Amino acid sequence: MATTRSAHTVWEGSLTEGSGTVTFDSSGIGEQAVSWPSRAEEANGKTSPEELIAAAHSSCFSMALTHGLTGAGTPPSRLTTSADVTFQPGTGITGIHLTVEGTVPGLDEAAFVSAAEDAKANCPVSQALSGTTITLSAKLA
């Protein structure tokens, strides 16, 4: 069954001096402030589209890797995944780097890296972001 998740943003003012609020409609988890300075300079307690992409990518990748490892008979005890999304003003998103460290009983490093590469290529967020260079560092804990 297909699902649709929704969020909305209200923006007021110009790009560089204005600001907005992102509301997570589907989950109801709240609102987050967003502004150009939080995107292009320091976060200062506000989010950015790139941070939201990083959250989506790290969670989707973790789910895909867990699914692949479990399907192969080696379910992970723990995965810690981070996603670093690089934004260059005037250019856009220039790359995403995923870093994962896993505790997977019965699996060697090479098999873990292979499973992580497969998850990177096949998680739905990676596929949606296929126009962006995505790199990966993977290791067992």
Side-chain angles (χ1 to χ4, degrees):
M1 170 172 40
T3 59
T4 301
R5 300 292 183 256
S6 301
H8 75 275
T9 300
V10 176
W11 186 270
E12 296 178 350
S14 70
L15 173 62
T16 58
E17 296 183 19
S19 63
T21 303
V22 178
T23 302
F24 298 90
D25 299 321
S26 299
S27 64
I29 61 172
E31 301 176 335
Q32 292 294 315
V34 64
S35 69
W36 178 256
S38 70
R39 183 178 198 183
E41 298 166 18
E42 294 296 320
N44 292 322
K46 297 177 181 161
T47 194
S48 68
E50 291 73 29
E51 183 178 39
L52 298 171
I53 290 170
H57 206 174
S58 66
S59 60
C60 183
F61 172 85
S62 294
M63 290 180 199
L65 182 52
T66 296
H67 180 68
L69 290 168
T70 301
T74 53
S77 300
R78 180 182 179 97
L79 298 174
T80 302
T81 304
S82 63
D84 299 310
V85 178
T86 302
F87 173 74
Q88 177 64 48
T91 302
I93 294 172
T94 58
I96 301 170
H97 185 72
L98 297 168
T99 303
V100 62
E101 182 174 280
T103 303
V104 187
L107 195 67
D108 66 24
E109 190 90 18
F112 181 71
V113 170
S114 177
E117 288 288 350
D118 185 65
K120 179 189 81 145
N122 293 303
C123 93
V125 171
S126 288
Q127 291 177 348
L129 300 172
S130 63
T132 301
T133 299
I134 302 169
T135 57
L136 172 69
S137 298
K139 68 178 185 174
L140 290 172

